[in-house]
Amino acid sequence: MNKFPEPKEKIDYRPVIHFTAPQNWINDPNGMVYLDGKYHLFYQHYPKAPHWGPMHWGHAVSEDLLHWQHLPIALYPDELGCIFSGSCVYDKYNASGFGSEEKPPLVAVFTLHSMDGRHTEHQGLAYSTDYEHFEKYYGNPVIPNPGQKDFRDPKVFWNPVKKCYSLVLAAGENVEFYASHDLKKWKKTGEFKAGSHGLRGTCECPDCFPIQTEEGEKWVLIISMILPAGDIGIQNDVYDRMTHITQYYVGEFDGDTFHDTEEADKPLLLDFGTDNYAAVTFQNLEEKVLIGWADNWDYANFAPSDLDGFRGKMTLARKMKLIRTLEGWRLAYSFEGLERLRSASYPLMQGENRLRARSFGLKVKVEGSGSVVLKNQAGEVLAVKVTGSEIIVDRSQAGQSDFNREFALPGYERTHAPRSFAKSPEGATEMEIIMDKCILEILADDGLTPVTTSVYPRRSYEKICILGDLKAEYYAVE
Ligand code: FRU
């Protein structure tokens, strides 16, 4: 039996400003780095079919984070394994010796996942001085597997305490830190027990970085996580309805490991929607900008976009700030690169408006409760409801959902995102909504309440209703 059945209907779902591969499967963003005015995005890619398979690193570049130029595949599987997630570092002073002072190398640090049936995971290197063609390091693996089942997704960052490179990687239910002066010889310096505070599960794709706040520098540790299936769905709220979530911790990095000084009462989720996983930040960029995979392992292999030639998409790039809210320190996000599009915004009427595009943005002033509702002639309805305490996104009637059981589960179809406020919940807040054919992204409450959700309408939404105490401006996305 075919494990990945063919969807029946061909509908144009390819987003306009969200990254997709030229064809076939993608998952995590990898090796994101800013270099010579260009954003480089590498990504988990199976170029031969629209489902997960032996992983390669695809590659694309962009100057505006909205439109991407595809480049040749950067890394192919080799005898040590296929190429799982990892990061790139612009080795400015050629500490690795892979380049020269005139041509500093771009060094990719990634997981080699063996294809001999044992699934052993080691960390390896590859380098490039034209930032397009990569050479694998002959000394791979540089961090051999220490006997750990899940041991992957290294993210390199500058260690300001020891003045060297450090990396954080996922090791079972923990993350581990390693340090190196040349990116080739690595020494373990510490670990962080992800489940000691927050949700417990198998860690993936960690990222650790400093961020400036009004009260000085803090560090953020992001960890994507596979939660034990048995623990899911007990309360059916955003904290336990899914098997894959991304959480973050706020604290400090002492040069060896990360400490969670915030110890939040509830796990801090990077996004409350179903479709934002494995998000990591750009290296060599002053600002903290992250991109996630805008899909969910529970159903991504079945999403009905592959008749259109692709399966999988990335979120838009989001710039992060760390803000002290009423509940404690929280990340707040804003979409990067939309200034030009936003400048052509015009107000929508209260009530019903005609919609002419399948990709558009909305700037919404939230002055109380209300809804934004999209409708099409197939009778499908996608609703975003704002209450005093929640942003509720209901995709249960919004389009195709019968392609997979999980996609249609109540906890996945309706997101109840708890709102967070920088100041008093009484005042007006800003919300931005991007709908790009099959992906809906919402940053509510000045970026403190993010919801990202895939949706597969059978026809274009032709009507948009603005209800209640919301004032919306519309802009076209192209
Ligand atoms: C996360 C992940 C990573 C792994 C990659 C494999 O989505 O499972 O841990 O490196 O995807 O494609």
Side-chain angles (χ1 to χ4, degrees):
M1 199 186 87
N2 185 358
K3 205 168 138 214
F4 304 109
E6 293 291 318
K8 292 168 224 111
E9 302 165 57
K10 174 172 169 22
I11 300 168
D12 168 22
Y13 285 128
R14 198 183 274 278
V16 179
I17 55 167
H18 287 77
F19 179 80
T20 52
Q23 56 193 12
N24 291 322
W25 172 266
I26 67 170
N27 56 285
D28 315 352
N30 294 150
M32 294 192 301
V33 58
Y34 183 67
L35 256 184
D36 301 337
K38 286 192 175 138
Y39 297 91
H40 288 251
L41 167 68
F42 300 85
Y43 54 92
Q44 289 286 279
H45 185 34
Y46 185 44
K48 294 193 186 143
H51 54 74
W52 194 85
M55 285 290 110
H56 300 52
W57 271 28
H59 186 193
V61 287
S62 171
E63 285 176 12
D64 65 0
L65 289 166
L66 304 179
H67 306 96
W68 296 87
Q69 181 197 344
H70 295 293
L71 294 178
I73 288 177
L75 295 172
Y76 285 81
D78 61 28
E79 64 288 352
L80 292 174
C82 58
I83 317 297
F84 269 22
S85 287
S87 51
C88 272
V89 54
Y90 175 57
D91 183 21
K92 217 191 291 186
Y93 301 110
N94 192 30
S96 62
F98 288 139
S100 61
E101 259 171 49
E102 299 73 53
K103 235 356 184 165
L106 186 59
V107 183
V109 187
F110 49 84
T111 299
L112 290 153
H113 180 101
S114 81
M115 297 191 288
D116 56 7
R118 287 185 218 162
H119 304 288
T120 315
E121 296 183 325
H122 307 282
Q123 318 316 319
L125 304 181
Y127 53 92
S128 170
T129 48
D130 67 1
Y131 313 143
E132 193 172 320
H133 303 92
F134 283 78
E135 192 72 43
K136 299 240 183 67
Y137 175 46
Y138 71 89
N140 282 346
V142 291
I143 307 181
N145 190 292
Q148 171 76 50
K149 185 168 165 281
D150 295 291
F151 187 66
R152 57 178 178 264
D153 310 338
K155 179 76 163 81
V156 180
F157 61 94
W158 179 248
N159 181 332
V161 184
K162 294 198 157 158
K163 309 252 179 303
C164 67
Y165 289 116
S166 273
L167 66 78
V168 57
L169 56 72
E173 295 199 346
N174 303 327
V175 298
E176 294 183 348
F177 290 87
Y178 290 73
S180 172
H181 285 283
D182 61 2
L183 294 165
K184 296 174 192 157
K185 291 183 288 305
W186 292 92
K187 199 165 168 288
K188 185 173 163 186
T189 58
E191 57 186 46
F192 175 77
K193 294 204 179 312
S196 59
H197 207 257
L199 296 168
R200 213 180 121 195
T202 303
C203 297
E204 299 191 302
C205 302
D207 192 358
C208 189
F209 51 86
I211 191 163
Q212 285 304 327
T213 74
E214 281 177 0
E215 296 172 31
E217 183 182 273
K218 290 191 173 286
W219 281 72
V220 171
L221 173 64
I222 297 178
I223 309 179
S224 290
M225 219 170 244
I226 310 170
L227 303 179
D231 294 356
I232 306 301
I234 300 157
Q235 296 159 30
N236 201 22
D237 68 10
V238 282
Y239 298 101
D240 79 340
R241 76 199 158 126
M242 290 192 289
T243 56
H244 290 81
I245 53 104
T246 303
Q247 61 177 325
Y248 66 92
Y249 303 84
V250 178
E252 56 194 36
F253 177 69
D254 65 9
D256 289 327
T257 191
F258 174 87
H259 303 276
D260 173 13
T261 54
E262 175 71 354
E263 301 206 330
D265 299 340
K266 285 213 161 187
L268 305 179
L269 299 189
L270 196 86
D271 198 302
F272 297 108
T274 42
D275 295 83
N276 187 353
Y277 193 68
V280 283
T281 54
F282 278 92
Q283 200 262 336
N284 198 38
L285 187 65
E286 195 57 35
E287 288 149 341
K288 300 299 160 203
V289 177
L290 97 169
I291 292 182
W293 175 45
D295 273 291
N296 186 317
W297 278 118
D298 291 353
Y299 47 75
N301 270 293
F302 307 94
S305 61
D306 74 316
L307 290 182
D308 198 29
F310 76 99
R311 212 177 233 151
K313 53 210 177 296
M314 299 299 174
T315 67
L316 291 180
R318 298 175 181 185
K319 184 154 87 191
M320 284 181 284
K321 282 194 288 189
L322 188 65
I323 292 182
R324 189 185 269 294
T325 67
L326 300 175
E327 297 94 27
W329 291 99
R330 295 290 182 275
L331 288 174
Y333 315 86
S334 55
F335 295 119
E336 272 286 89
L338 294 179
E339 298 73 19
R340 188 182 58 82
L341 300 179
R342 284 186 195 121
S343 66
S345 303
Y346 60 86
L348 292 179
M349 291 181 309
Q350 291 305 109
E352 199 170 287
N353 298 259
R354 263 181 78 87
L355 249 184
R356 286 189 180 76
R358 298 187 63 202
S359 299
F360 59 87
L362 295 176
K363 291 194 303 184
V364 185
K365 190 163 217 127
V366 177
E367 295 175 338
S369 302
S371 306
V372 175
V373 182
L374 305 178
K375 296 178 185 169
N376 67 15
Q377 283 182 2
E380 293 167 340
V381 180
L382 173 61
V384 178
K385 193 169 171 199
V386 181
T387 73
S389 59
E390 287 182 329
I391 305 289
I392 304 164
V393 181
D394 186 344
R395 72 178 183 196
S396 62
Q397 309 297 320
Q400 298 194 66
S401 62
D402 54 358
F403 54 87
N404 170 265
R405 197 184 76 89
E406 270 80 10
F407 190 85
L409 286 175
Y412 286 65
E413 287 197 315
R414 279 183 212 92
T415 296
H416 287 257
R419 297 180 67 184
S420 227
F421 300 94
K423 297 181 201 85
S424 146
E426 306 303 312
T429 61
E430 300 287 337
M431 168 161 80
E432 188 152 30
I433 298 181
I434 307 290
M435 177 70 200
D436 194 4
K437 292 193 189 170
C438 66
I439 173 77
L440 175 76
E441 291 198 60
I442 301 173
L443 297 181
D445 303 321
D446 308 314
L448 284 164
T449 313
V451 182
T452 307
T453 292
S454 295
V455 53
Y456 298 99
R458 287 184 181 80
R459 306 202 36 181
S460 311
Y461 295 119
E462 293 107 6
K463 287 182 185 151
I464 179 166
C465 303
I466 309 296
L467 307 170
D469 296 324
L470 309 183
K471 292 209 176 84
E473 290 190 15
Y474 170 97
Y475 58 87
V477 158
E478 67 229 346

